[in-house]
Amino acid sequence: MTGSFECLTAVVLDWAGTTVDHGSCAPAIVFQEVFRRRGVTVTPAQARGPMGMAKRDHIAAIAAVPDVAAAWVAVYGRPCGPDDIDRMYDEFLPLQKNVLTSHSDVIAGVPEAVADCRHMGLRIGSTTGYTRELMAVVTATAATQGYEPDCVLCSEDAPHGRPAPYLLFEAAKRLGVYPMWTVVAVDDTPVGIRAGRNAGCWTVGVTRTGNGVGLSLRDLDASPAEEIRRLCTAAEESLRAAGTHFVVESVADLVPVLREIESQLRAGKSPVSSTPVRF
């Protein structure tokens, strides 16, 4: 890999579904479980819908889904309130930590793509809706598999989580890069893409490995090709609706997109003026 970027300064990557945990399976499993323990059934789609948010916000968003809210009232005779959300969140954290021990593998091609980015002069940041305690498990596993970003921003590191832009602002601050239009945000969720747009970054949505497809590597390998295409198309449409500039199936495919963004910047285009492109 040769050549350096003159305009781009950094890439900020999401974690689950983007760089680790193929299919973003770990959080979906636990969100369903904390509601199940209260007699309320949450479907995989309902559990995955708010993915990318800080985890307490995510639980509150699931509880607000009309079918889930109605099921809660049917069980308890009242709406799900803030104290209920707090109790589920407190229960979520240890459950999630336990699940993460077996759902933190680095997605194929990520270390190589990150190494290429560094070779071309880019800084590598990361953001997540996980807490710092949870990320201690994830980062330790990722490091043994060759992935160590220059900074890790967690839910405690900003006043509001995605789609607010603050985690990306903090990542840029810690990486020592600016302006934000020289930064690329990479995420597998619509809420993460909206955060990137709100921050003034270029955005790249991830389909095949991410939450929108929602399949572990083993399940993906066992799925018919036509079903995988259907799921990837649906994930792409969701990311497009959120405003992503580019779409890739995996971070392994990221470098050609970064070269295109660099080309657009040299031509005087910005994240605001750029036309979305499919890769």
Side-chain angles (χ1 to χ4, degrees):
M1 182 67 62
T2 59
S4 298
F5 291 116
E6 297 177 1
C7 300
L8 287 180
T9 60
V11 176
V12 181
L13 300 148
D14 176 52
W15 283 84
T18 300
T19 53
V20 302
D21 185 15
H22 196 293
S24 193
C25 296
I29 293 168
V30 181
F31 287 128
Q32 288 182 274
E33 177 63 14
V34 294
F35 279 89
R36 186 197 66 78
R37 291 184 177 191
R38 285 156 179 79
V40 176
T41 298
V42 170
T43 68
Q46 289 167 340
R48 289 180 176 278
M51 201 71 77
M53 290 182 171
K55 301 315 173 192
R56 189 194 179 283
D57 294 342
H58 190 136
I59 292 170
I62 294 173
V65 172
D67 287 350
V68 177
W72 187 281
V73 171
V75 173
Y76 294 101
R78 57 171 178 79
C80 181
D83 289 344
D84 299 307
I85 302 299
D86 286 341
R87 284 189 287 270
M88 283 191 282
Y89 180 64
D90 289 342
E91 192 171 306
F92 169 89
L93 292 173
L95 285 171
Q96 184 70 94
K97 189 173 183 178
N98 183 57
V99 169
L100 284 173
T101 60
S102 57
H103 286 83
S104 297
D105 285 343
V106 176
I107 293 168
V110 168
E112 295 81 2
V114 167
D116 287 342
C117 289
R118 285 198 168 114
H119 183 69
M120 292 182 289
L122 298 181
R123 300 279 284 161
I124 307 297
S126 68
T127 65
T128 180
Y130 285 151
T131 64
R132 192 156 294 282
E133 180 182 3
L134 295 176
M135 282 306 295
V137 178
V138 179
T139 55
T141 299
T144 67
Q145 298 177 14
Y147 176 52
E148 292 184 86
D150 299 321
C151 70
V152 180
L153 278 298
C154 302
S155 60
E156 305 97 316
D157 295 319
H160 300 288
R162 304 160 180 156
Y166 304 122
L167 283 172
L168 287 163
F169 290 161
E170 184 64 23
K173 175 183 172 184
R174 296 194 188 187
L175 294 171
V177 299
Y178 68 91
M180 295 305 293
W181 49 259
T182 69
V183 176
V184 181
V186 185
D187 204 291
D188 63 302
T189 66
V191 72
I193 294 301
R194 289 197 293 272
R197 294 300 302 254
N198 289 338
C201 297
W202 294 88
T203 54
V204 179
V206 178
T207 58
R208 188 183 183 95
T209 71
N211 179 69
V213 172
L215 295 177
S216 68
L217 184 58
R218 182 179 64 182
D219 290 341
L220 188 78
D221 289 341
S223 298
E226 183 57 36
E227 175 65 5
I228 295 171
R229 282 193 293 271
R230 184 189 69 79
L231 290 170
C232 284
T233 297
E236 178 173 345
E237 289 173 353
S238 181
L239 294 165
R240 293 286 186 202
T244 193
H245 296 97
F246 297 88
V247 173
V248 294
E249 290 193 350
S250 167
V251 169
D253 308 318
L254 183 61
V255 170
V257 174
L258 298 180
R259 291 190 181 282
E260 173 61 23
I261 294 172
E262 174 76 9
S263 175
Q264 291 199 24
L265 283 172
R266 291 184 185 184
K269 295 184 179 180
S270 74
V272 175
S273 63
S274 175
T275 302
V277 176
R278 186 179 189 279
F279 266 69

